[in-house]
């Protein structure tokens, strides 16, 4: 029996060999097609748990714990999956900034969690450098994955600061991963990176593409920068314009959702705090002995649709508990709220008038440095110290970043130039505007308010001419006057990089953060009350414009429009990426021209101002009714090829567009919207496929 079985096996083996000789093109077990999935995260800012330490609440739309649930699901779907990160990863929460980033003897919790998740690579972001280059080298040692930045070198010997790229092998395919960080880091953290030089990202990419082509089957890249330029020659678009060999590019820094194909490269970017995960799918085909790209796609996954991973939360529970324990201690008590309620929802009072929050921050800076003048920004539009107990979370809420404190000597001209640079934040006021609005190209954290001087900001004037009546101790400031100025290290680096200031610090608090100084100040006081000296004001905003005064008794037209905004019927516009709010004033003249004002107001304006061609409605209409009537007819070729979206209170066009992978401009054009900033609850927005 045994001999018979052996004979059968021998015959089968012989047949197998003969088939291979006669039909050499037949391949057993060799794949001709393969799909590789690449998951990308960016700007997670140390949000390990889906938890807000500022208000002590669980969130459904953020956190690395939720990201891990996405990763686990995709890995089950496709075992040929790589996981990469695009930076701004170890900074951003009380857990990271106040407990671990200043204690180099402790392992970093975010890197520990990333090791647990089995990341394949990470590119440095600008916020990795907030804590100095020693911290970056520390996390590089702790990481069980390569940390990348191909455009960062040491000045002394031109060697790379970290690895420029990595080669990851998946299913026998070699994937080249090129990492590029933001070249503007010296602009923000100049004093912390004096040993390093930062090259243009596309220049660095070109240097490595040839080498990567020889070592890998496919090339992807991560760039901690927005797709478009920020300050000039620093956008990620230039990378793929000059390096079309890159199959997929992960972008970040701007906290914006990006999902597009540029030429032959798919580009993806996600929102911050682990809210989204970018998914690239690369389809490869065998061409003789080489693998070639057959297709590439990009998608965005929202983590709100996933439960937070209990496995990861259990693994990281020690870090979370330590942070919660840290926040239990009461630092002091606030006698009342430090910021008044906004007149107009969506426009923070602390950026249009002097408030106790900014005065508190500046008072702390003056006291710590012995300076004459201090400057501070409102980092978050809803920041406030509320009446009642104050914990460290309260301080984090009014001072989001882990900045240190700098004292520097400046002259009067440098002070004026600095203040004019800051005052660019406001849009020039126009007749008929019912509100003060902000420059869409400037983030809120780049508008500083000053203490120690008296001044006015005239927003009716052009940029560069807005600071008027500038006085120090009741005397006009001269160009030759000398002052001591207190600012944070981020602002110091930026101003020096721009050439606005030139001196060296006489005071540096590093490693002690400004947040720690604020905490110490409140502990010393015990109870604090909101105090404002009203040393500055905005002028040139004439809300008594005749258009705003139209009335049929009460309210006046301006008050009527503000009421509509506060009810959610008119939305204050924000930038397309959502990071800059209140970017365009609501203007009564524009609303009247568009037929969006009830007839009572127009009918009662002075007869001399009524134009013959102006048609008065026969029946009173609200703004909502007027907008509904002006919505154009949209001809649909096929209802299957269109989506309908019903506007909800608080919606803005860019958010609706982002949900469907469109820009607000595409939606405005497709729907023939006269005023894209004016959409109302219940309105139907058609989404083209």
């Amino acid at each position: 029996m045994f001999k018979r079985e052996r004979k059968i096996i021998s015959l089968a083996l012989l047949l197998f060999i003969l088939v291979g000789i006669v039909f050499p093109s037949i391949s057993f077990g060799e794949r001709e097609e393969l799909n590789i999935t690449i998951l990308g995260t960016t700007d997670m800012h140390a949000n390990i748990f889906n938890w807000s330490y500022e208000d002590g609440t669980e969130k459904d739309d953020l956190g690395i714990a939720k990201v891990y649930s996405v990763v686990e699901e995709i890995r089950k779907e496709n075992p040929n999956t790589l996981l990469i990160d695009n930076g701004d990863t170890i900074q951003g929460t009380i857990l990271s900034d106040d407990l671990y980033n200043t204690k180099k003897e402790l392992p970093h919790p975010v890197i520990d969690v990333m090791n647990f998740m089995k990341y394949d690579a990470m590119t440095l972001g600008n916020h990795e450098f907030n804590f100095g280059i020693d911290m970056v080298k520390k996390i590089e040692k702790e990481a069980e994955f390569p940390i990348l930045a191909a455009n960062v070198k040491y000045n002394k010997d031109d060697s790379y600061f970290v690895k420029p790229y990595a080669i990851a092998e998946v299913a026998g395919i070699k994937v080249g991963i090129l990492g590029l960080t933001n070249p503007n880091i010296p602009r923000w953290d100049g004093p912390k990176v004096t040993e390093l030089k930062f090259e243009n990202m596309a220049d660095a990419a070109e240097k490595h593409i040839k080498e990567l082509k020889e070592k890998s089957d496919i090339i992807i890249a991560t760039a901690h920068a927005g797709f478009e330029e920020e300050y000039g020659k620093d956008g990620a678009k230039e990378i793929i314009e000059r390096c079309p060999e890159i199959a997929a590019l992960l972008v970040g820094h701007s906290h914006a959702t990006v999902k597009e194909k540029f030429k032959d490269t798919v580009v993806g970017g996600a929102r911050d705090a682990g809210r989204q995960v970018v998914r690239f799918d690369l389809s490869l085909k065998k061409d003789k002995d080489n693998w070639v790209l057959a297709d590439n796609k990009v998608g965005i996954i929202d983590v709100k649709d996933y439960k937070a991973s209990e496995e990861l939360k259990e693994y990281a529970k020690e870090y979370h508990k330590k942070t919660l324990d840290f926040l239990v201690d009461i630092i002091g008590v606030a006698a009342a709220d430090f910021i008044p309620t906004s007149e107009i929802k969506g426009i923070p009072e602390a950026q249009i008038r002097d408030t106790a929050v900014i005065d508190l921050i500046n008072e702390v800076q003056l006291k710590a440095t012995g300076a004459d003048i201090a400057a501070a920004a409102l980092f978050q539009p809803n920041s406030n110290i509320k009446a009642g107990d104050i914990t460290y979370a309260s301080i984090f809420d009014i001072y989001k970043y882990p900045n240190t404190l700098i004292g520097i000597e400046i002259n009067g001209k440098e002070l004026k130039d600095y203040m004019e640079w800051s005052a660019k934040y406001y849009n020039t006021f126009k007749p008929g505007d019912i509100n003060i609005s902000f420059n869409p190209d400037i983030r809120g954290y780049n508008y500083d308010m000053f203490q120690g001087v008296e001044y006015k900001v005239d927003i009716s004037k052009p940029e560069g001419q807005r600071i008027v009546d500038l006085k120090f101790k009741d005397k006009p400031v001269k160009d030759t006057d000398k002052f001591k100025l207190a600012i944070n290290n981020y602002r110091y680096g930026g101003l020096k990089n721009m050439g606005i200031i030139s001196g060296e610090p006489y005071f540096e608090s590093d490693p002690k953060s400004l947040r720690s100084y604020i905490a110490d100040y409140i502990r010393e006081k015990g109870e604090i009350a909101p105090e404002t000296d009203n040393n500055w004001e905005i002028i040139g905003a004439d809300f008594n414009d005749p258009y705003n005064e139209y009335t049929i008794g009460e309210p006046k037209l301006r008050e009527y429009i503000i009421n509509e905004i506060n009810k959610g019927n008119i939305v204050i516009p924000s930038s397309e990426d959502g990071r800059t709010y209140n970017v365009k004033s609501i203007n009564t003249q524009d609303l009247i021209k568009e037929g969006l004002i009830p007839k009572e107001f127009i009918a009662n304006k002075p007869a001399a101002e009524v134009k013959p061609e102006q048609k008065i409605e026969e029946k009173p209409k609200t703004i909502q009714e007027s907008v509904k009537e002006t919505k154009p007819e949209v001809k649909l070729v096929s209802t299957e090829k269109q989506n309908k979206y019903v506007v909800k209170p608080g919606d803005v066009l860019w958010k609706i567009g982002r949900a469907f992978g469109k820009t607000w401009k595409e939606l405005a054009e497709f729907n023939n919207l006269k005023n894209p900033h004016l959409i109302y609850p219940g309105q139907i927005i058609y989404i083209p496929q």
Side-chain angles (χ1 to χ4, degrees), residues 170-448:
V170 54
I173 305 296
K174 292 180 179 179
V175 181
I177 307 170
L178 178 65
L180 300 153
T181 195
N182 200 297
N184 295 303
I185 288 166
R187 177 191 291 266
W188 305 313
D189 273 313
K192 296 177 185 283
V193 294
T194 53
E195 297 176 42
L196 306 175
K197 57 183 176 183
F198 294 76
E199 298 178 337
N200 172 275
M201 293 185 297
D203 289 345
E206 279 189 329
K207 292 176 186 176
H208 295 287
I209 283 294
K210 183 178 179 181
E211 191 175 347
L212 280 167
K213 286 170 71 175
E214 293 173 352
K215 293 182 177 181
S216 56
D217 298 298
I218 195 81
I219 301 171
I220 64 172
T222 78
H224 190 82
F227 189 58
E228 303 292 345
E229 294 181 348
E230 185 175 7
Y231 296 104
K233 301 295 285 183
D234 57 2
K237 182 192 288 186
E238 186 184 7
I239 298 167
I240 50 179
E241 285 177 334
R242 292 165 59 180
C243 304
E245 299 92 339
I246 295 170
L249 175 65
L250 177 64
V251 297
H253 182 62
S254 60
H255 297 187
T257 303
V258 180
K259 186 183 72 171
E260 62 178 271
K261 192 162 189 175
F262 183 80
K263 297 183 178 179
D264 294 326
T265 304
V266 283
V267 183
R271 293 182 65 201
D272 63 314
R275 299 175 196 277
Q276 295 175 325
V277 178
V278 178
R279 175 175 178 164
F280 298 108
D281 283 293
L282 307 180
S283 297
L284 305 177
K285 286 186 177 180
K286 201 70 177 289
D287 181 14
K288 296 180 181 177
D289 294 330
N290 300 316
W291 286 98
V292 296
L293 184 68
D295 192 20
N296 52 351
K297 297 177 181 177
V298 60
I300 303 295
I301 303 170
D302 288 302
V303 304
K304 66 182 179 182
D305 300 325
Y306 292 76
K307 290 183 178 180
S309 166
E310 292 299 328
E311 185 183 6
L312 188 144
K313 287 167 70 175
E314 175 65 23
Y315 181 82
K317 66 181 180 181
E318 176 189 338
Y319 305 124
H320 185 52
K321 181 180 183 302
K322 188 173 180 180
T323 309
L324 294 176
D325 290 344
F326 175 70
L327 294 174
V328 170
D329 293 340
I330 296 172
I331 295 171
V333 177
D337 286 4
F338 271 56
I339 288 184
T341 303
S342 293
E343 178 193 22
I344 303 174
K345 285 184 180 179
I347 304 179
E349 290 293 306
Q351 287 186 319
I352 57 177
R353 61 167 159 147
D354 198 12
T355 59
V357 160
I358 299 300
D359 279 8
L360 171 66
I361 297 168
N362 276 327
E363 174 63 24
V364 171
Q365 294 186 136
L366 290 170
K367 182 180 178 182
T369 61
D372 305 302
I373 303 165
L378 184 77
F379 291 144
Q380 302 180 105
N382 297 321
S383 290
N384 194 1
I385 292 181
K386 295 185 177 180
D389 292 340
I390 300 171
T391 67
Y392 206 87
S394 311
I395 297 170
F396 192 92
D397 184 55
I398 67 166
Y399 211 92
K400 179 180 178 182
Y401 299 105
N403 297 325
T404 54
L405 190 52
I406 296 286
I408 183 172
E409 292 186 353
I410 61 170
N411 60 40
K413 183 181 184 306
E414 289 175 323
L415 175 64
K416 291 175 185 176
D417 289 345
Y418 174 17
M419 297 178 77
E420 287 290 359
W421 169 84
S422 182
K424 291 179 182 179
Y425 183 61
Y426 297 111
N427 290 325
T428 304
F429 190 83
K430 304 188 305 298
D433 284 351
I434 63 101
N435 61 289
I436 296 165
S437 62
F438 309 143
N439 187 327
D441 298 322
I442 300 175
R443 304 288 188 218
Y445 54 72
N446 276 329
Y447 171 61
D448 286 348

Side-chain angles (χ1 to χ4, degrees), residues 31 65 114 131 151 191 338 379 402 490 501 508 510 565 652 654:
R31 293 159 301 178
M114 292 175 74
F131 309 93
N151 59 325
F338 271 56
F379 291 144
Y490 174 89
I501 61 175
E508 294 184 78
D510 193 23
I565 294 171
V652 288
W654 69 264

Side-chain angles (χ1 to χ4, degrees), residues 37-41 44 63-84 113-114 116-120 276-279 301 303 306-307 309 312:
T37 298
I38 296 152
L39 298 178
T41 55
M44 294 195 294
I64 298 173
K66 286 209 161 199
V67 169
Y68 189 49
S69 294
V70 175
V71 173
E72 284 188 300
E73 179 178 280
I74 303 303
R75 281 174 173 165
K76 288 177 183 176
E77 174 193 323
N78 182 12
N80 302 324
T81 295
L82 294 175
L83 177 60
I84 60 176
V113 165
M114 292 175 74
F116 173 80
M117 295 170 67
K118 300 189 184 305
Y119 267 82
D120 294 287
Q276 295 175 325
V277 178
V278 178
R279 175 175 178 164
I301 303 170
V303 304
Y306 292 76
K307 290 183 178 180
S309 166
L312 188 144

